[in-house]
Amino acid sequence: MKRRKVKMKNMGFAAVVILVLVMVFIFCFVKDRSLKQNGKTTRQDVEEISDFENVSYNHAKEYAKEKKLEFNATYDYSDTITRDKIISGSIDDNKLNVVVSLGSIPVDTFKEKKVNELGRVPIMMYHGIINTTENKYTGGNVDKDGYNRTSGAFLKDLELYYEKGYRMIRLADYVNGIIDVELGYSPIILTFDDGNANNFKVIKKNEDGSLEFDPNSAIGVLETIKKKHPDMNVTATFFLNGGLCNQPEYNEDIVKWLVEHGYDVGNHTISHVDFTKIGNDKTREEVGKLYQKLDSIIPDKYVHIIALPFGSPYKRSHTNYQFIVEGEWEGYKYHTDAALRVGWEPEVSPFDKNFDTSFLKRVRAYDNNGNEFDITMTFKLLEKNRYISDGEKNFITIPSSIKDKLNETNLKVITYEEG
């Protein structure tokens, strides 16, 4: 009897152990399901990959997806970690943060490509693009001063930029120091003033609401180049007046189409006013009313940049300038991040000490037999001092000989010896 009692006690103890194990399993299973259903992953759930060094980028990304973690990757060069492997990683607030290796700094490549991110950037200024073959004036100029250009000449301009190794960037990105251009290539910016109908002439609006543009309009030519050269990153900024796109039936549709298809819209004042000939109150109206108009059509989708009509007021010290930058009109508050002059030459890099968003120069896109900063003269000069990208928007790469020109920056700076 004694032995039987002992056996029963042992059986009772075993049953208790089994019951405890089952309860632990059920608790863990329910907890894991609850975490997954809530879309959360705790730090304990990812201990098996706490050391991320040398893990492949794809592995880390798949891991984040599996564990329902937000994936955030930044990049840096490394002499010890091969390209596309993880230099370091951490988990914070349900987010997997990794630093991905770009491999060793390609100094020889920088020398070969003559990388210089303190070089000049052309901001090309266009107005009308006119469908005509008439050659009354020099080259592709439709008017004496070359403010309007033929469709054919505009197409040739874009092909020229592409062949010379220029790739388009948004004006707003340039203003904010974001230069995302492939290694060895250079940024170029396109702007159009006045909202001429020939910039975006609508042929018809289809039943589904889509627009069809004249292929010889500025947008028509740009879209042609976009299809032919996808790597050119086609974009432009259109500066509008009170008449917007000068096609009342389609004005709002065009403005919405532009921002939905990779273009930007900015301020050129309500009535194309000369700021040197008006007072402070009228200045506030001219600037604020146009911003308000854009706000009613594409809220938060337009750029806070103004193209100064006639380039006026010419000096920042002018009494009206402060109201171009910031002000209030009939209760509507506005601000301006940058202002464009009519200008004549390419601008400095956004990383240059002399970079000044309040008075950015532009290049008039016209023909003048290689004189007075026409297209030919401008791009000849740029051969000596153009901005040439390192291919990484989070780094600034420059020859060490010009590092004194560099403005203060939060970006990582790479210098190399020329020769």
Side-chain angles (χ1 to χ4, degrees), residues 248-305:
E249 183 180 356
Y250 304 115
N251 271 342
E252 293 195 7
D253 290 325
I254 296 170
V255 170
K256 292 176 182 177
W257 185 95
L258 289 171
V259 298
E260 290 168 1
H261 289 80
Y263 300 96
D264 285 315
V265 176
N267 193 327
H268 200 41
T269 74
I270 280 291
S271 61
H272 202 274
V273 69
D274 183 338
F275 284 114
T276 64
K277 298 179 179 180
I278 61 174
N280 296 164
D281 290 342
K282 182 61 175 175
T283 296
R284 283 191 285 262
E285 178 184 356
E286 287 289 334
V287 178
K289 192 173 182 179
L290 199 285
Y291 275 135
Q292 185 182 50
K293 194 164 190 173
L294 295 178
D295 230 352
S296 69
I297 303 170
I298 46 171
D300 301 322
K301 293 182 179 180
Y302 58 92
V303 296
H304 292 261
I305 303 174

Side-chain angles (χ1 to χ4, degrees), residues 64-121:
K65 182 178 179 181
E66 176 188 340
K67 296 297 182 180
K68 300 186 183 300
L69 293 167
E70 182 182 342
F71 186 69
N72 178 48
T74 56
Y75 297 81
D76 202 353
Y77 290 101
S78 172
D79 291 328
T80 57
I81 307 296
T82 58
R83 189 178 182 88
D84 293 330
K85 292 293 185 68
I86 305 303
I87 297 174
S88 62
S90 63
I91 296 167
D92 184 38
D93 294 331
N94 213 43
K95 179 188 293 185
L96 174 56
N97 300 298
V98 296
V99 179
V100 184
S101 174
L102 295 168
S104 299
I105 297 175
V107 175
D108 290 341
T109 302
F110 293 158
K111 289 181 181 178
E112 177 192 347
K113 300 290 186 181
K114 298 181 179 179
V115 170
N116 177 14
E117 297 193 314
L118 281 178
R120 296 251 172 182
V121 179

Side-chain angles (χ1 to χ4, degrees), residues 121-123 167-181 187-191 232-239 258-259 261-266 300-305 337 340 350 355 360:
V121 179
I123 306 175
R167 300 297 180 260
M168 297 185 201
I169 63 169
R170 296 178 62 226
L171 174 62
D173 284 345
Y174 168 74
V175 167
N176 291 307
I178 303 171
I179 311 292
D180 193 4
V181 176
I188 188 171
I189 299 162
L190 267 59
T191 65
M232 196 176 185
N233 307 317
V234 171
T235 185
T237 301
F238 292 87
F239 290 97
L258 289 171
V259 298
H261 289 80
Y263 300 96
D264 285 315
V265 176
D300 301 322
K301 293 182 179 180
Y302 58 92
V303 296
H304 292 261
I305 303 174
D337 295 327
L340 301 180
F355 183 61
L360 294 172

Side-chain angles (χ1 to χ4, degrees), residues 363-379:
V363 176
R364 180 156 44 120
Y366 80 124
D367 293 319
N368 193 23
N369 300 312
N371 299 308
E372 296 182 5
F373 292 98
D374 70 348
I375 293 174
T376 300
M377 178 179 176
T378 294
F379 284 86

